[in-house]
Amino acid sequence: MRKKKRRFDDEHEEHINESWLIPYADILTLLLALFIVLFASSIIDAEKFRSIMESFKSELTGTKIDHTTSLSVQLPADKKPVEENSEEARKEQAELDELLSKLEKFITENNLQAVITLQDSKRGVEIALKEVILFDQGKADLKESSYPTLDVLVNLAKTVSNPISIEGHTDNVPIKNSKFPSNWELSSARAVSVLHYFASKGISQDRMQFVGYGEFKPLYPNDTEEHKQSNRRVNIVILRVNKSS
């Protein structure tokens, strides 16, 4: 009889030990719901928060509430829809379109299609000038013959206020001398030469930046002399400020 009572006590104790899992799980669920509500209170207005709290209370107590109030999250000031800036983006695009049209007219009227190309990209208006119009091969001093062309570009750049990025590129033929240890230095020096010329003609220095890419952003494979000539260039990019929606 004593052994049977022992088994009964063990089974009863095991049953009691397992029974705490159900209320424990309920408490965890309620805590999770509470944390979600507290987090939501930081991003929605007071009226909507009260509605959530009423719903929360209903779930706990079984009380029925009116669900006519809809919930909508309020966007922070810096997360407003992109449409708010669309007017500025459209205005900027119109200015860049006009600039592009003037550039195309200048290039066509002066038969410069072989040495200057244009692109209207996501970055902005990109003007690519081949090495031959600006520099002697392997050098970074602007040729005097390039001044008239650069003067036109300066005057057109003054018609907008966008920032300007001046970017030097080379082919993959190695260069190594006392002045230019690599194509990085050569491409950077060429970009700086154009930048200084623009600054000397009245382009505000705080509008401009330069970068030298060396041979690492070619337009074409460096497999022919023609492709190498195209890769040796300076890009003048009138950068877009506003992104259209």
Side-chain angles (χ1 to χ4, degrees), residues 82 85-86 89-90 92 122-124 240-245:
V82 117
N85 292 327
S86 60
R90 284 194 292 267
E92 180 184 56
K122 289 183 178 180
R123 296 181 65 205
R240 196 183 304 277
V241 176
N242 299 290
K243 304 297 181 183
S244 58
S245 57

Side-chain angles (χ1 to χ4, degrees), residues 38-200:
L38 290 175
F39 174 76
S41 69
S42 66
I43 61 173
I44 62 177
D45 60 31
E47 183 64 29
K48 302 305 184 291
F49 178 64
R50 281 195 295 271
S51 178
I52 289 179
M53 291 303 294
E54 289 173 0
S55 298
F56 187 55
K57 180 180 178 181
S58 174
E59 292 298 325
L60 292 177
T61 64
T63 306
K64 197 170 184 180
I65 63 171
D66 183 10
H67 290 284
T68 57
T69 304
S70 62
L71 298 181
S72 61
V73 176
Q74 301 294 317
L75 289 173
D78 60 344
K79 298 294 184 182
K80 292 298 182 183
V82 117
E83 285 76 9
E84 288 189 2
N85 292 327
S86 60
E87 183 61 34
E88 291 183 5
R90 284 194 292 267
K91 180 180 177 182
E92 180 184 56
Q93 185 61 53
E95 292 176 348
L96 292 180
D97 286 343
E98 184 177 357
L99 173 63
L100 191 66
S101 177
K102 292 178 180 178
L103 285 166
E104 290 173 343
K105 181 179 179 182
F106 164 71
I107 292 170
T108 301
E109 289 179 349
N110 292 275
N111 297 316
L112 295 172
Q113 296 91 330
V115 290
I116 302 179
T117 57
L118 298 175
Q119 182 181 3
D120 184 11
S121 70
K122 289 183 178 180
R123 296 181 65 205
V125 175
E126 301 191 32
I127 311 161
L129 297 93
K130 287 186 178 180
E131 169 198 61
V132 65
I133 196 173
L134 299 174
F135 309 101
D136 291 323
Q137 193 166 350
K139 296 184 178 180
D141 300 317
L142 287 169
K143 298 193 291 189
E144 290 188 10
S145 59
S146 70
Y147 295 169
T149 298
L150 291 176
D151 287 342
V152 172
L153 298 183
V154 165
N155 290 332
L156 290 176
K158 288 179 179 179
T159 63
V160 295
S161 59
N162 299 61
I164 301 171
S165 179
I166 301 175
E167 303 166 356
H169 300 267
T170 68
D171 59 25
N172 67 342
V173 178
I175 183 172
K176 187 174 182 181
N177 54 44
S178 58
K179 195 169 185 179
F180 305 118
S182 73
N183 282 325
W184 269 325
E185 283 80 6
L186 175 60
S187 62
S188 298
R190 287 179 166 180
V192 169
S193 291
V194 175
L195 181 145
H196 282 309
Y197 189 85
F198 271 45
S200 71

